[in-house]
Amino acid sequence: MALVTVDLAAPQSMRGRWAAWAAVGRATGGGKRCYAKGPVWHYDDGGGNWIDLHHLGDGRAVLTGNDHACSPDPDDEDFDPMDGAPWWWEDPVREAVRANENVAVVHGFDGTVWQRVASDVDDGFSAIGLPALTLARTRERIADACRYDPATGLFDPTRPAPSDETIDALIAADADVTEELVAAVVGAKAGDPAAGAAHARAFLTA
């Protein structure tokens, strides 16, 4: 089966946004849902829907994932995310299947463009809502995360949101994040900015 181009930013372009979201999540208590571990960047939306970005070297990467409500079932005969895929997609997909069983989202980056197997079936990627896809989405998700009351865990619309300028500075650090940058977003006395900064810097190793 043929491959089709997917309109996604290059992995390097997503790093600053992905790391910023991870930093804020860790600083405010949600670090297990977004992190970098070696060459893999992980995102979980908190409801069991997830995305992993596997860095393979030589500019290549493979993105795997699944949305339990919107992705097709593994036994769907009309959809095979690996039908005609390049050989270098195989190891990350095997790894993802071992860890998660159901894997419907499979996109490969050859150093220039993202591609997926051509299919009329929705793989569920859009439903997962990865914040790092765009600057606007990352800003919005970070601003909302900072408006949860740490004492109750509930969203508090009266809590002030961080400014776009402080969020943009955190993103612009491109994972080389300091405690001060995190504190400017989440508040110096809110959560654990130092842990958030260390969490973000793990994205530098890929």
Side-chain angles (χ1 to χ4, degrees), residues 47-75:
N49 308 311
W50 59 275
I51 287 175
D52 282 345
L53 197 158
H54 305 251
H55 296 265
L56 305 181
D58 296 325
R60 291 174 170 176
V62 172
L63 186 150
T64 60
N66 201 78
D67 183 284
H68 62 77
C70 298
S71 294
D73 293 329
D75 58 357

Side-chain angles (χ1 to χ4, degrees), residues 139 162-171 181 185:
R139 279 178 176 169
S163 68
D164 285 349
E165 290 75 17
T166 58
I167 296 173
D168 288 353
L170 181 63
I171 293 169
L181 286 170
V185 173

Side-chain angles (χ1 to χ4, degrees), residues 19-151:
W21 174 248
V24 171
R26 176 63 181 85
T28 57
K32 293 182 179 180
R33 295 199 298 269
C34 186
Y35 56 83
K37 186 175 182 180
V40 180
W41 298 348
H42 178 77
Y43 168 74
D44 185 318
D45 69 357
N49 308 311
W50 59 275
I51 287 175
D52 282 345
L53 197 158
H54 305 251
H55 296 265
L56 305 181
D58 296 325
R60 291 174 170 176
V62 172
L63 186 150
T64 60
N66 201 78
D67 183 284
H68 62 77
C70 298
S71 294
D73 293 329
D75 58 357
D76 187 335
E77 295 181 358
D78 295 325
F79 181 73
D80 179 356
M82 290 296 288
D83 183 11
W87 63 267
W88 52 272
W89 295 16
E90 294 175 1
D91 284 348
V93 171
R94 289 195 191 97
E95 180 181 336
V97 169
R98 281 196 298 269
N100 303 282
E101 189 174 342
N102 295 347
V103 177
V105 178
V106 181
H107 298 168
F109 184 74
D110 64 4
T112 303
V113 297
W114 285 101
Q115 294 178 302
R116 58 161 288 189
V117 171
S119 175
D120 293 331
V121 178
D122 180 7
D123 62 6
F125 172 71
S126 297
I128 299 170
L130 176 66
L133 292 180
T134 67
L135 174 60
R137 181 179 292 186
T138 307
R139 279 178 176 169
E140 180 182 10
R141 294 291 298 277
I142 287 176
D144 284 349
C146 292
R147 299 180 72 185
Y148 279 82
D149 186 330

Side-chain angles (χ1 to χ4, degrees), residues 188-202:
K189 297 181 179 180
D192 192 342
H199 202 62
R201 288 195 295 272

